[in-house]
Amino acid sequence: MRTISRRRMVKLSMLGSMAGAFGFSSSFGKVLAIMSTPSETEGPFYPVNDQRDKDADLTQVDGHTGIAQGQHIIVSGQVTDIAGNPIDKVLLDIWQADANGRYRHPRDPNTAKLDENFQGWAVIRSDSSGLFRFKTVIPGAYPASSNWIRPPHIHFKISKQGYRALTTQMYFPNEALNKTDLLLRNKSAAEQSVMIAKKANQQGNLPIYEYNIVLDLLHK
């Protein structure tokens, strides 16, 4: 797999052989098999105009009385290392299109109407157990070119001292456009499986999507 270095693959293979030789449980093998989250392009719409409101609720903008259009959801997950250990106080920089498929970016060519009540950008940190959670909307699909429609996705930049900085994209399950997306289909099946969020239980009327992130150490 492209996201795991040759040295790490050799190490995991050796540890896996040891686990089999000494009769460790299958859960040990699952821990060893954790894949680091694949990287992906930042895209052209990373926010360029700073804003005061970058909290974990993207469905409301500070000072606005209205709420964001579209299906409101919760995205939650945990940041761990490749051995499954939680990483605390990780910085997560999150941005996405609104429910109309429009970014809060001055150079977005999409003619869809911008939802002024959608925050569009959040900067949060994982807690002491590596857990994070934010409220947002399912982003709309939008044309990246005349023959390419991007599926709903959320952009992440993740950073923590001592770990490799990661830029990636989270996708949604059961989206028909996932199959034709030029970026996602360039990933292996295993990589796609960790980039597509899992539908979890609801919180009231809010669907919850689980998206876990695995970081590599800076020096291996």
Side-chain angles (χ1 to χ4, degrees):
M1 297 173 184
R2 293 193 295 273
T3 54
I4 303 179
S5 69
R6 179 181 177 84
R7 180 181 300 176
R8 177 58 56 86
M9 287 294 290
V10 170
K11 183 184 294 185
L12 292 179
S13 177
M14 291 175 62
L15 289 171
S17 298
M18 290 171 60
F22 289 99
F24 288 121
S25 68
S26 60
S27 61
F28 182 83
K30 290 179 182 178
V31 169
L32 293 178
I34 293 175
M35 178 197 297
S36 56
T37 301
S39 63
E40 190 51 271
T41 176
E42 178 181 294
F45 303 126
Y46 180 79
V48 293
N49 296 325
D50 199 11
Q51 60 191 53
R52 180 179 61 180
D53 192 0
K54 290 182 285 200
D55 68 7
D57 185 355
L58 287 82
T59 66
Q60 291 188 298
V61 177
D62 189 28
H64 291 212
T65 57
I67 61 172
Q69 302 168 17
Q71 173 63 64
H72 291 201
I73 62 171
I74 297 291
V75 177
S76 66
Q78 184 178 39
V79 186
T80 67
D81 63 21
I82 201 167
N85 301 308
I87 308 175
D88 68 337
K89 308 305 180 186
V90 175
L91 184 69
L92 297 106
D93 193 342
I94 303 157
W95 71 103
Q96 64 169 88
D98 61 26
N100 301 320
R102 178 77 182 270
Y103 285 89
R104 186 177 290 274
H105 192 286
R107 292 192 295 276
D108 184 356
N110 193 349
T111 57
K113 181 177 174 57
L114 178 70
D115 184 357
E116 296 291 350
N117 292 314
F118 180 61
Q119 187 173 296
W121 184 18
V123 180
I124 62 176
R125 288 188 184 273
S126 65
D127 69 12
S128 59
S129 298
L131 300 172
F132 67 90
R133 180 182 179 93
F134 60 95
K135 184 179 180 182
T136 187
V137 302
I138 296 180
Y142 62 86
S145 69
S146 59
N147 58 358
W148 177 20
I149 305 296
R150 294 238 53 211
H153 61 279
I154 298 177
H155 296 264
F156 286 77
K157 278 187 179 181
I158 306 110
S159 57
K160 165 79 174 186
Q161 187 173 5
Y163 295 86
R164 293 185 184 277
L166 173 68
T167 299
T168 192
Q169 297 179 24
M170 182 199 103
Y171 297 84
F172 289 83
N174 304 316
E175 289 285 346
L177 289 170
N178 286 350
K179 297 179 180 179
T180 57
D181 186 63
L182 298 183
L183 295 179
L184 186 58
R185 76 180 189 184
N186 193 42
K187 303 294 185 183
S188 69
E191 289 172 324
Q192 290 181 28
S193 71
V194 298
M195 296 179 77
I196 298 175
K198 306 297 188 294
K199 188 77 174 291
N201 294 329
Q202 292 207 167
Q203 177 182 306
N205 63 346
L206 290 177
I208 299 176
Y209 289 86
E210 182 180 338
Y211 181 64
N212 297 314
I213 296 167
V214 180
L215 298 182
D216 267 326
L217 287 169
L218 186 58
H219 301 292
K220 299 181 182 179

